[in-house]
Tab-separated table of all heavy atoms in Angstrom:
chain	number	residue	atom	x	y	z
M	1350	ILE	N	0.828	-1.236	0.022
M	1350	ILE	CA	-0.005	-0.009	0.000
M	1350	ILE	C	0.854	1.268	-0.007
M	1350	ILE	O	0.691	2.140	-0.884
M	1350	ILE	CB	-0.999	-0.017	1.183
M	1350	ILE	CG1	-2.103	-1.032	0.887
M	1350	ILE	CG2	-1.606	1.375	1.411
M	1350	ILE	CD1	-2.994	-1.296	2.084
M	1351	PRO	N	1.776	1.480	0.937
M	1351	PRO	CA	2.561	2.701	0.900
M	1351	PRO	C	3.502	2.796	-0.294
M	1351	PRO	O	3.776	3.903	-0.791
M	1351	PRO	CB	3.336	2.682	2.217
M	1351	PRO	CG	3.352	1.250	2.632
M	1351	PRO	CD	2.078	0.669	2.117
M	1352	PHE	N	3.991	1.646	-0.783
M	1352	PHE	CA	4.877	1.680	-1.941
M	1352	PHE	C	4.147	2.100	-3.201
M	1352	PHE	O	4.684	2.870	-4.017
M	1352	PHE	CB	5.531	0.305	-2.144
M	1352	PHE	CG	6.854	0.170	-1.463
M	1352	PHE	CD1	6.907	-0.093	-0.096
M	1352	PHE	CD2	8.037	0.349	-2.146
M	1352	PHE	CE1	8.117	-0.201	0.546
M	1352	PHE	CE2	9.263	0.245	-1.507
M	1352	PHE	CZ	9.301	-0.026	-0.132
M	1353	VAL	N	2.902	1.658	-3.377
M	1353	VAL	CA	2.088	2.109	-4.533
M	1353	VAL	C	1.822	3.595	-4.432
M	1353	VAL	O	1.938	4.342	-5.378
M	1353	VAL	CB	0.785	1.325	-4.612
M	1353	VAL	CG1	-0.132	1.923	-5.665
M	1353	VAL	CG2	1.068	-0.155	-4.925
M	1354	LEU	N	1.478	4.052	-3.208
M	1354	LEU	CA	1.237	5.484	-2.992
M	1354	LEU	C	2.472	6.302	-3.306
M	1354	LEU	O	2.412	7.360	-3.935
M	1354	LEU	CB	0.817	5.718	-1.534
M	1354	LEU	CG	-0.612	5.348	-1.167
M	1354	LEU	CD1	-0.797	5.421	0.350
M	1354	LEU	CD2	-1.612	6.237	-1.851
M	1355	ALA	N	3.634	5.820	-2.818
M	1355	ALA	CA	4.883	6.554	-3.060
M	1355	ALA	C	5.236	6.610	-4.537
M	1355	ALA	O	5.734	7.618	-5.017
M	1355	ALA	CB	6.042	5.855	-2.276
M	1356	PHE	N	4.963	5.526	-5.219
M	1356	PHE	CA	5.252	5.488	-6.671
M	1356	PHE	C	4.405	6.552	-7.405
M	1356	PHE	O	4.914	7.246	-8.298
M	1356	PHE	CB	4.943	4.105	-7.240
M	1356	PHE	CG	5.249	3.961	-8.701
M	1356	PHE	CD1	6.563	3.769	-9.117
M	1356	PHE	CD2	4.249	4.021	-9.626
M	1356	PHE	CE1	6.842	3.642	-10.467
M	1356	PHE	CE2	4.528	3.907	-10.971
M	1356	PHE	CZ	5.830	3.716	-11.410
M	1357	VAL	N	3.149	6.681	-7.007
M	1357	VAL	CA	2.253	7.678	-7.621
M	1357	VAL	C	2.658	9.097	-7.207
M	1357	VAL	O	2.781	9.988	-8.032
M	1357	VAL	CB	0.798	7.392	-7.249
M	1357	VAL	CG1	-0.100	8.515	-7.772
M	1357	VAL	CG2	0.356	6.047	-7.805
M	1358	LEU	N	2.911	9.284	-5.906
M	1358	LEU	CA	3.231	10.608	-5.380
M	1358	LEU	C	4.633	11.066	-5.756
M	1358	LEU	O	4.956	12.251	-5.585
M	1358	LEU	CB	3.086	10.613	-3.849
M	1358	LEU	CG	1.626	10.454	-3.346
M	1358	LEU	CD1	1.632	10.256	-1.836
M	1358	LEU	CD2	0.779	11.663	-3.731
M	1359	ASN	N	5.445	10.142	-6.206
M	1359	ASN	CA	6.811	10.513	-6.594
M	1359	ASN	C	6.831	11.515	-7.723
M	1359	ASN	O	7.816	12.240	-7.906
M	1359	ASN	CB	7.589	9.241	-7.003
M	1359	ASN	CG	9.099	9.478	-7.050
M	1359	ASN	OD1	9.630	10.178	-6.235
M	1359	ASN	ND2	9.717	8.887	-8.030
M	1360	TYR	N	5.741	11.592	-8.455
M	1360	TYR	CA	5.680	12.556	-9.543
M	1360	TYR	C	5.449	13.980	-9.023
M	1360	TYR	O	5.621	14.947	-9.755
M	1360	TYR	CB	4.547	12.185	-10.517
M	1360	TYR	CG	4.879	10.929	-11.284
M	1360	TYR	CD1	4.364	9.688	-10.908
M	1360	TYR	CD2	5.747	10.965	-12.384
M	1360	TYR	CE1	4.673	8.519	-11.623
M	1360	TYR	CE2	6.054	9.779	-13.089
M	1360	TYR	CZ	5.525	8.584	-12.690
M	1360	TYR	OH	5.863	7.430	-13.389
M	1361	ILE	N	5.030	14.065	-7.760
M	1361	ILE	CA	4.944	15.376	-7.101
M	1361	ILE	C	6.327	15.712	-6.582
M	1361	ILE	O	6.851	15.051	-5.710
M	1361	ILE	CB	3.939	15.368	-5.940
M	1361	ILE	CG1	2.568	14.960	-6.429
M	1361	ILE	CG2	3.894	16.731	-5.261
M	1361	ILE	CD1	1.549	14.807	-5.288
M	1362	GLN	N	6.952	16.719	-7.142
M	1362	GLN	CA	8.331	17.004	-6.810
M	1362	GLN	C	8.457	17.822	-5.507
M	1362	GLN	O	9.295	18.730	-5.419
M	1362	GLN	CB	8.984	17.787	-7.977
M	1362	GLN	CG	9.000	17.028	-9.279
M	1362	GLN	CD	9.803	15.723	-9.188
M	1362	GLN	OE1	10.911	15.712	-8.627
M	1362	GLN	NE2	9.255	14.659	-9.732
M	1363	ILE	N	7.645	17.497	-4.533
M	1363	ILE	CA	7.729	18.123	-3.214
M	1363	ILE	C	7.768	16.991	-2.186
M	1363	ILE	O	6.746	16.446	-1.791
M	1363	ILE	CB	6.522	19.066	-2.930
M	1363	ILE	CG1	6.378	20.086	-4.054
M	1363	ILE	CG2	6.742	19.790	-1.601
M	1363	ILE	CD1	5.160	20.956	-3.900
M	1364	GLU	N	8.978	16.620	-1.810
M	1364	GLU	CA	9.193	15.386	-1.043
M	1364	GLU	C	8.566	15.449	0.345
M	1364	GLU	O	8.072	14.451	0.839
M	1364	GLU	CB	10.694	15.093	-0.960
M	1364	GLU	CG	11.283	14.784	-2.335
M	1364	GLU	CD	12.776	14.582	-2.279
M	1364	GLU	OE1	13.378	14.730	-1.183
M	1364	GLU	OE2	13.375	14.265	-3.342
M	1365	ILE	N	8.563	16.590	1.000
M	1365	ILE	CA	8.012	16.678	2.350
M	1365	ILE	C	6.510	16.441	2.313
M	1365	ILE	O	5.974	15.650	3.104
M	1365	ILE	CB	8.324	18.069	2.966
M	1365	ILE	CG1	9.816	18.233	3.162
M	1365	ILE	CG2	7.565	18.214	4.288
M	1365	ILE	CD1	10.201	19.579	3.708
M	1366	ILE	N	5.814	17.080	1.356
M	1366	ILE	CA	4.373	16.873	1.230
M	1366	ILE	C	4.056	15.409	0.878
M	1366	ILE	O	3.145	14.807	1.420
M	1366	ILE	CB	3.787	17.836	0.174
M	1366	ILE	CG1	3.915	19.277	0.655
M	1366	ILE	CG2	2.326	17.501	-0.131
M	1366	ILE	CD1	3.442	20.294	-0.338
M	1367	SER	N	4.832	14.860	-0.056
M	1367	SER	CA	4.618	13.454	-0.445
M	1367	SER	C	4.792	12.518	0.729
M	1367	SER	O	4.032	11.565	0.906
M	1367	SER	CB	5.592	13.090	-1.576
M	1367	SER	OG	5.377	13.855	-2.721
M	1368	SER	N	5.803	12.763	1.572
M	1368	SER	CA	6.061	11.900	2.723
M	1368	SER	C	4.895	11.944	3.690
M	1368	SER	O	4.463	10.900	4.213
M	1368	SER	CB	7.369	12.357	3.414
M	1368	SER	OG	8.468	12.252	2.583
M	1369	ILE	N	4.368	13.147	3.948
M	1369	ILE	CA	3.215	13.265	4.854
M	1369	ILE	C	2.004	12.549	4.287
M	1369	ILE	O	1.274	11.813	5.005
M	1369	ILE	CB	2.897	14.752	5.103
M	1369	ILE	CG1	4.060	15.432	5.865
M	1369	ILE	CG2	1.579	14.897	5.908
M	1369	ILE	CD1	3.920	16.910	5.986
M	1370	LEU	N	1.772	12.693	2.984
M	1370	LEU	CA	0.629	12.054	2.355
M	1370	LEU	C	0.762	10.527	2.383
M	1370	LEU	O	-0.244	9.815	2.569
M	1370	LEU	CB	0.481	12.544	0.912
M	1370	LEU	CG	-0.008	13.982	0.733
M	1370	LEU	CD1	0.056	14.373	-0.736
M	1370	LEU	CD2	-1.420	14.152	1.272
M	1371	ILE	N	1.969	10.016	2.198
M	1371	ILE	CA	2.180	8.572	2.251
M	1371	ILE	C	1.764	8.040	3.592
M	1371	ILE	O	1.075	6.996	3.674
M	1371	ILE	CB	3.679	8.247	1.981
M	1371	ILE	CG1	4.005	8.509	0.502
M	1371	ILE	CG2	3.982	6.777	2.346
M	1371	ILE	CD1	5.488	8.460	0.198
M	1372	ILE	N	2.127	8.696	4.666
M	1372	ILE	CA	1.790	8.218	6.008
M	1372	ILE	C	0.267	8.323	6.245
M	1372	ILE	O	-0.354	7.346	6.668
M	1372	ILE	CB	2.541	9.050	7.070
M	1372	ILE	CG1	4.043	8.762	6.964
M	1372	ILE	CG2	2.056	8.699	8.473
M	1372	ILE	CD1	4.922	9.650	7.827
M	1373	LEU	N	-0.313	9.465	5.962
M	1373	LEU	CA	-1.726	9.694	6.274
M	1373	LEU	C	-2.631	8.794	5.423
M	1373	LEU	O	-3.552	8.140	5.957
M	1373	LEU	CB	-2.084	11.151	6.030
M	1373	LEU	CG	-1.452	12.187	6.977
M	1373	LEU	CD1	-1.869	13.577	6.582
M	1373	LEU	CD2	-1.783	11.892	8.418
M	1374	ILE	N	-2.383	8.734	4.130
M	1374	ILE	CA	-3.247	7.920	3.247
M	1374	ILE	C	-3.061	6.419	3.543
M	1374	ILE	O	-4.021	5.670	3.506
M	1374	ILE	CB	-2.934	8.228	1.773
M	1374	ILE	CG1	-3.255	9.700	1.464
M	1374	ILE	CG2	-3.766	7.330	0.877
M	1374	ILE	CD1	-2.861	10.132	0.058
M	1375	SER	N	-1.832	6.009	3.835
M	1375	SER	CA	-1.594	4.588	4.149
M	1375	SER	C	-2.416	4.163	5.356
M	1375	SER	O	-3.077	3.112	5.336
M	1375	SER	CB	-0.106	4.349	4.456
M	1375	SER	OG	0.677	4.547	3.304
């Protein structure tokens, strides 16, 4: 689950926001 999310969010070039979203959505 978090790896799929990270793969999708990796296209957002804002790593801090992506990291927070990975945790919350997971």
